[in-house]
Amino acid sequence: MKTINFFLKLIIAIIFIQTLFFKFSAHPQAVHIFTTLDMEPYGRIFLGCLELICALLLFVPRFSIYATFVSLGLMLGAVFSHLTTDLGIVVEWNGESDNGRLFSMAIIVIILSVILIYSNLKSRLLTNKKQTSDSTTQEDIQI
């Protein structure tokens, strides 16, 4: 399961890092998106920094679960923005279109984040259950 979780984190990190170029270079598509959201340029740069930090912390065991929750939150916000503003599912700017790629990548990150959170919580519950049963057995032996 650890190998699968590693690859799920890797996919999330690749998606985040791939979009950083557009955010940090002020690509016309990113500028259009954040202008539509009335968050240009500070929102673009801030969210780019959050995604970079998140992509890195996914691979630090102590912070991985927090980074996964932040990934989920960021992409839920992205999907919400696409659905409730003029952006739409297919982003169009200067006569060009992303054909829904950004929206699709956000959905992928949401799905993978939920899988990782479920996997992490499940393994923690199993570990806690095992520790509880081990301590109960120890107490029973001592009595």
Side-chain angles (χ1 to χ4, degrees):
M1 193 63 170
K2 286 185 178 185
T3 305
I4 293 171
N5 286 351
F6 173 80
F7 283 109
L8 297 180
K9 292 175 188 178
L10 186 62
I11 293 168
I12 292 171
I14 288 170
I15 289 173
F16 280 162
I17 290 169
Q18 183 267 333
T19 61
L20 289 180
F21 168 77
F22 295 95
K23 287 183 178 81
F24 290 153
S25 68
H27 186 275
Q29 177 190 28
V31 170
H32 166 73
I33 290 169
F34 286 94
T35 300
T36 302
L37 299 174
D38 200 27
M39 296 174 64
E40 176 63 27
Y42 302 109
R44 175 176 49 83
I45 295 167
F46 176 73
L47 290 174
C49 290
L50 270 180
E51 289 177 6
L52 175 60
I53 292 167
C54 203
L56 297 173
L57 290 181
L58 282 169
F59 300 100
V60 179
R62 184 175 181 165
F63 299 108
S64 179
I65 189 69
Y66 303 114
T68 306
F69 274 107
V70 172
S71 299
L72 178 62
L74 286 170
M75 293 304 102
L76 286 173
V79 167
F80 181 79
S81 295
H82 278 273
L83 296 177
T84 60
T85 67
D86 291 337
L87 285 176
I89 292 173
V90 177
V91 178
E92 296 176 345
W93 75 101
N94 299 338
E96 296 186 50
S97 170
D98 79 338
N99 296 316
R101 281 190 208 103
L102 286 176
F103 186 82
S104 299
M105 288 191 293
I107 296 294
I108 290 168
V109 170
I110 289 170
I111 292 168
L112 298 182
S113 295
V114 168
I115 291 169
L116 285 168
I117 290 167
Y118 174 78
S119 172
N120 189 288
L121 293 177
K122 183 179 174 184
S123 68
R124 285 181 189 218
L125 286 174
L126 290 175
T127 303
N128 288 341
K129 209 178 225 185
K130 183 179 178 193
Q131 288 174 351
T132 304
S133 68
D134 288 348
S135 66
T136 304
T137 307
Q138 297 273 339
E139 291 172 6
D140 291 343
I141 293 171
Q142 290 176 356
I143 296 177

